[in-house]
Amino acid sequence: MNTIAKFALRVVVLAVIMYLVTRLVDGIDVIGNDDGTFGTAGTYLWVALLFAVVNSIVGPVIRLLSLPFVVLTMGLFLLVINAALLGLTAALSDRLTVDGFVAALLGGFLIAVCSWIAELLLPLKVRG
């Protein structure tokens, strides 16, 4: 499978994960656009694409800068980083709302766990 197809599959899987997270976590909502080309599903795809871009551009920088905290907390600070990336995605989009730190923390945790499971089951790694 080529790189573009893997990235597209990753975004679709992330959109499904975002849908599950909005159903499971109070305080995280995606405001669907029924008038859009792809309707509410297109909104979830847009939010997933935005989160993937934020996670791949800003994520490594934040993880590198916070490396001492990650080491001191034995990796638990990565949950805070995932929450921050989810909050940043919500700040960049008017279609995603995250109400509070606890919702962002729980949502970031669920996204990380579900993405990990999806990577085990599907060929989602994008290699250059």
Side-chain angles (χ1 to χ4, degrees):
M1 197 182 305
N2 66 18
T3 305
I4 295 173
K6 285 184 181 181
F7 182 76
L9 179 63
R10 186 175 185 90
V11 170
V12 170
V13 168
L14 189 56
V16 171
I17 292 170
M18 286 285 192
Y19 176 78
L20 292 173
V21 168
T22 58
R23 297 294 171 236
L24 294 173
V25 179
D26 288 335
I28 297 180
D29 294 308
V30 171
I31 303 160
N33 183 7
D34 294 330
D35 297 331
T37 306
F38 298 109
T40 304
T43 306
Y44 280 98
L45 286 170
W46 166 249
V47 169
L49 177 65
L50 187 60
F51 183 75
V53 168
V54 166
N55 197 18
S56 58
I57 293 175
V58 179
V61 174
I62 292 176
R63 286 182 192 95
L64 180 66
L65 292 175
S66 65
L67 189 61
F69 296 111
V70 173
V71 170
L72 283 174
T73 61
M74 294 182 283
L76 289 177
F77 195 72
L78 290 172
L79 295 174
V80 176
I81 294 171
N82 286 343
L85 293 174
L86 188 60
L88 181 60
T89 304
L92 293 173
S93 174
D94 61 343
R95 295 289 174 186
L96 176 65
T97 60
V98 178
D99 297 331
F101 178 72
V102 174
L105 193 66
L106 187 56
F109 174 73
L110 288 175
I111 290 171
V113 168
C114 291
S115 295
W116 175 69
I117 291 170
E119 284 182 13
L120 291 176
L121 299 176
L122 299 170
L124 295 177
K125 285 289 185 195
V126 177
R127 294 185 180 100

